[in-house]
Amino acid sequence: MTLTPPLWTPAALEAATGGTLHGQPKPITGASIDTRTLQPGDLFFAILGEARDGHDFVHAALERGAGAAVVWAERAQEFASVGPVLAVSGSGEDPVLEAMRALGLAARARSHAGIVAVTGSVGKTGTKEALRHVLSAQGATHASIASYNNHWGVPLTLARMPAETAFGVFEIGMNHAREIVPLTAMVRPDIALVTTVEPVHIEHFASLSAIADAKGEIFSGLEVGGTAIINRDNPSFSRLLAHAQASRAGRVVTFGEHPEADVRANRIVLRPDLSVVDAVVMGIPVTYQLGTPGRHTAMNSLGVMAVVHALGADLARAALSLAALRPPVGRGERTALAIGEGEAFLVDESYNANPASIRAALATLAAIETGPRGRRIAVLGDMLELGAQGDSHHRALAGPVEEAGIDLVFTAGPLMRNLFEALPVSRRGAAAATSAELLDPVLSVLRPGDAVMVKGSNSIRMGRIVEALKARYAKAQAEPPHAAAR
């Protein structure tokens, strides 16, 4: 039996962080900042959070089997009798976070993997998961979990990367300008991909061009001769191209339906439960089936194929892998609901929301064939961080609702009421101030044959509606009806 080497040896931990070990650590097999998800062997970083100090959880982490805990040097003696600790010092506000960054940098320095960084206003997590899926079939792949894409998520993901990794995939997010620069500098990607630029977090930016500039920061961290991958169809293409050309990129690869795109979709066939993409990848004809429906996922799959080609991985194997791709929880997961003698259908898009992703979700809902007397129902929560134009962005969804043929719309939050009031009375389900107040109206209205989609910004907690629907009606994980779309 081959034993898996430890993620970090004691000597490597001290060398990378400049810290001092007190006690003998257990073999380090992972890294964590959260005792709720900590696994035995994890190195626990007691970082200073927005609401709690990680040092308050060191005892719990060690009791649950952490390999060691990283703590401030001046507090190390508090935990001397509990278990092994790595005592660190630093000049910043949080020496433990500095140590985690240092360990992440050490992981990147020792790695020979092909490193990919993904950002974008919409679709970065789904694209990251698609890359994880297709590359895992071709080599040891390490990728961000969930949406670990910020100032602590990126270094934590790096610190977790095994030395033997063949492919590393990192999601990088931002809410403000200049947030991506230090993150991409840590990741040092060989390939950097921007899925798209849309009016997301617009309250923190003067214009869409400013958002494009912020997304374009990802190219600043590219390794010399690296590959920049850009959506050729996006209106901000030229601005992103300028950032790529000003970076150390050796080449720029474009994707989309544009006739000049390097990875081009000649035809996209959209079905209720899947998509078929007929593409040309850097001159190579490739046709593949995509196990997640929707035009937006089909377009992002072109970016995935661009990355696969840039890595020198096997395009044919990647194409085959995409057929088995399924949407992540909260990003299109589908569930059959048992209602009376029949069945309804739930699409869980509750993870987050912005104008572009809601339009895409409405289009996907439109493609699902309902049963006899069935209706298409959208349950939508406020989209946040849209600034002074928040009201108008919400009202503007009335057009996509009409185009998608949505029968009933339920809304949660004061901003989404703008949409509700812009709809004809025949399409209005109910409007409420919170998602909790919308539970009963949505639960009581469903009938066999319906297809219901739930979406909204995270803090609106639309996931509670999904949970309530599953608790009352869940039958099984399912694919949508296979009847042809309208």
Side-chain angles (χ1 to χ4, degrees), residues 116-118 123 127-128 130-131 134-135 191-196 227-232 253-257 262-265 277 279 281 288 290 296-311 315 322:
V116 184
V118 180
T127 300
K128 178 258 299 181
L131 284 166
V134 301
L135 293 174
I191 300 164
L193 163 67
V194 179
T195 59
T196 189
T227 302
I229 299 178
I230 305 172
N231 185 334
R232 186 64 179 82
V253 174
T254 62
F255 69 94
E257 294 179 294
D262 299 308
V263 179
R264 184 179 69 256
V277 182
V281 181
Y288 55 93
L290 188 62
H296 57 301
T297 56
M299 294 304 296
N300 286 337
S301 75
L302 299 173
V304 170
M305 296 301 273
V307 170
V308 170
H309 184 274
L311 285 169
L315 279 175
L322 285 171

Side-chain angles (χ1 to χ4, degrees), residues 11-86:
L13 283 177
E14 290 185 324
T17 64
T20 302
L21 277 165
H22 298 274
Q24 182 61 38
K26 299 174 184 177
I28 302 297
T29 54
S32 174
I33 61 171
D34 189 340
T35 55
R36 295 169 298 182
T37 55
L38 182 142
Q39 299 297 310
D42 279 353
L43 180 66
F44 177 70
F45 289 91
I47 66 171
L48 187 63
E50 293 180 4
R52 301 293 297 272
D53 184 344
H55 290 79
D56 296 340
F57 301 94
V58 169
H59 284 79
L62 292 170
E63 288 170 359
R64 294 179 187 183
V70 185
V71 302
W72 291 2
E74 56 265 35
R75 299 190 61 178
Q77 288 304 312
E78 295 178 33
F79 313 106
S81 63
V82 186
V85 297
L86 178 66

Side-chain angles (χ1 to χ4, degrees), residues 119-169:
T119 195
S121 300
V122 183
K124 55 183 175 291
T125 300
T127 300
K128 178 258 299 181
E129 288 301 320
L131 284 166
R132 182 209 300 271
H133 177 78
V134 301
L135 293 174
S136 292
Q138 303 194 36
T141 299
H142 176 75
S144 312
I145 64 170
S147 291
Y148 278 24
N149 61 24
N150 63 4
H151 66 288
W152 57 259
V154 170
L156 178 62
T157 302
L158 275 168
R160 288 171 166 171
M161 183 167 64
E164 61 272 18
T165 297
F167 305 110
V169 186

